[in-house]
Amino acid sequence: VETPEEAATAEEPAPRVKASCSGEPLTVTFYDAGQALASLVTLPDGQRILIDAGEDPARAGCGAACRSWHERVVNGLEHDLDGDDIDLVWITHQHSDHHGGLPGIARGVKIVHYVDNGQSLDKPGVQRARKAAKAAGATLSEVKPGKTAIPLSTSDDVQLAAVVPDTWSTSCEEHPNDCSIGLLVTYCNSTILFTGDGELKAENAWSVEDIDLLQVGHHGSDTSSSIKFITKIKPDYAVISCGRRGEGTNRTYCHPRKSTVERIAQATGGTGSVAVVAFDAERGCRQQENDNWDETVTGDRLWITARDGTVTLTTTGNGDFSRNE
Ligand SMILES: [Zn+2]
C-alpha cells in the first residue's frame, strides 16, 4: 500500500516555477504615449529598463498632441522612477516616436546604459537622443547582427536577450522599422517580447517562439503581426501602444488596424469583451474625413493604450500577468 506521500510524489507534475525563482514581482508599464512607444520594465531586483522614449514633443505637424503624449510619458516616469536611475535605455530603432522623447526624459534622471541599433547616426534626432543619454551619464553601445551583448547584469532568475536577425535587411536606411532590435525578457516562466516597430521582414528574420506577453509590433499596424509570426510566438497577453482616432500623427497612420486587433485578440483569448475603435484599412488612411473606424471586440488579455490609457502589468514569474489597478 502506498503511503499518501509516495502517491503524491508519483502523481505530481514538475513544478512550474523553478526553485531559484523568488516570486517577487516584475512589472512592465506601457505609457499612454499616443502614436509612439515608451515602456518601463522594473526587474525583481529593482533595476529599470526603458524600452523606447516616446515621441518628440516638437515633432513638425503634430502640435499639441505630441506635447501631451510626451508630457504623459515624462510625468509617468517621474512618478514610477521616484528618483531611481534608469539602468538601461533600449531604443528599438531610429524613429522620433521611439527616441524623440529622450532629451525631455533624461533631464534630471541618471541613465546608466544606453543601447540603440547603430543606424542613421547622421540624423539630428538620433544625435539628440545619444547626446541626452550621454549627458545623463550613460555609456553608449550598439546591438545589431553579430553584436548582441547587453550591457546590464541581472539576477540569476532574469535573462535579457537581443532579438536581431543574422544580417540587416538592405532596406533599413530607407525603412528604419526593418532594423528594429527586439528585446526578450525572461523571468522564470514569464517571457516578454518587445518588438519595436518590427514588420514582416523583421518578424520573418527573428528566431523567437512561444512567449507570454507581446508588445504588438508597429502600434498595431497591419504590416506587422503576421499570422505566421503570431502562430509561432503564441502570445497569451498583448499590449498595443497607439494613438487615438484622428489624434496628432495618428491622423495619417490610423493605428491600430482592425485586422491586427482581431488577430491578436483571437491569439490571446481571455474572457470578457471590450470594444475598441480600430481602423478598417480596406479604403486606406486619409488625413481628413475617414469614417473607416469600427468597434472591434477584444478579450481581457489584450490592452490598447488608446482605450486603456497607461497599462501596468505584473508577473511573479509563473507565466501569468495581471493589470495593476
Ligand atoms: Zn513607431
Side-chain angles (χ1 to χ4, degrees):
V1 177
E2 282 181 326
T3 65
E5 285 80 2
E6 280 167 346
T9 310
E11 295 294 320
E12 212 160 43
R16 205 165 171 225
V17 176
K18 284 178 269 177
S20 64
C21 292
S22 59
E24 291 292 311
L26 175 152
T27 64
V28 50
T29 296
F30 296 84
Y31 293 104
D32 185 7
Q35 161 46 45
L37 177 67
S39 39
L40 181 71
V41 174
T42 301
L43 299 177
D45 65 3
Q47 293 195 94
R48 318 272 198 172
I49 305 172
L50 179 69
I51 295 104
D52 289 340
E55 182 60 276
D56 179 350
R59 176 163 169 171
C62 185
C66 279
R67 288 196 295 278
S68 68
W69 297 346
H70 177 66
E71 201 174 304
R72 289 205 291 263
V73 172
V74 169
N75 292 345
L77 271 171
E78 195 177 281
H79 173 269
D80 295 339
L81 291 172
D82 196 22
D84 279 3
D85 301 345
I86 299 174
D87 297 281
L88 173 63
V89 170
W90 180 277
I91 300 295
T92 59
H93 67 294
Q94 311 288 31
H95 270 150
S96 75
D97 58 316
H98 296 259
H99 62 49
L102 196 63
I105 291 168
R107 278 193 284 273
V109 175
K110 184 174 187 292
I111 299 172
V112 184
H113 300 285
Y114 168 95
V115 162
D116 67 20
N117 65 4
Q119 294 279 311
S120 309
L121 300 183
D122 54 338
K123 290 191 179 155
V126 175
Q127 292 171 354
R128 277 197 296 275
R130 286 183 154 217
K131 196 175 157 196
K134 231 176 182 170
T139 57
L140 272 50
S141 54
E142 296 175 5
V143 163
K144 51 192 173 185
K147 191 173 177 302
T148 55
I150 296 176
L152 186 70
S153 308
T154 61
S155 54
D156 290 346
D157 49 11
V158 172
Q159 284 95 42
L160 305 177
V163 180
V164 293
D166 295 334
T167 53
W168 279 145
S169 160
T170 51
S171 57
C172 286
E173 194 63 34
E174 199 183 337
H175 199 55
N177 289 355
D178 291 344
C179 282
S180 288
I181 48 174
L183 179 64
L184 186 68
V185 179
T186 304
Y187 169 41
C188 299
N189 287 303
S190 296
T191 53
I192 310 168
L193 177 63
F194 294 92
T195 62
D197 283 355
E199 298 180 74
L200 301 190
K201 259 185 203 167
E203 291 176 353
N204 287 337
W206 286 338
S207 58
V208 57
E209 51 188 43
D210 211 355
I211 55 121
D212 296 307
L213 170 62
L214 173 68
Q215 174 253 311
V216 176
H218 197 203
H219 318 285
S221 158
D222 51 8
T223 54
S224 298
S225 306
S226 69
I227 293 168
K228 187 178 156 195
F229 185 62
I230 295 303
T231 305
K232 193 169 73 162
I233 63 169
K234 302 185 198 67
D236 296 317
Y237 305 88
V239 179
I240 298 175
S241 182
C242 61
R244 289 157 182 81
R245 172 183 179 169
E247 179 187 45
T249 48
N250 206 31
R251 286 194 307 267
T252 51
Y253 288 113
C254 299
H255 293 148
R257 296 301 173 95
K258 191 179 175 189
S259 59
T260 306
V261 171
E262 287 169 348
R263 193 149 63 239
I264 304 287
Q266 193 180 21
T268 53
T271 56
S273 55
V274 192
V276 65
V277 178
F279 186 76
D280 185 343
E282 289 299 304
R283 277 176 289 165
C285 174
R286 285 168 299 150
Q287 185 136 5
Q288 303 293 330
E289 59 176 311
N290 67 60
D291 54 2
N292 267 11
W293 293 79
D294 291 333
E295 287 211 328
T296 298
V297 167
T298 70
D300 60 359
R301 288 165 169 245
L302 168 61
W303 294 273
I304 301 172
T305 57
R307 178 191 66 195
D308 300 313
T310 292
V311 175
T312 297
L313 305 174
T314 296
T315 181
T316 54
N318 62 357
D320 298 330
F321 287 78
S322 56
R323 187 175 182 189
N324 299 15
E325 293 308 326

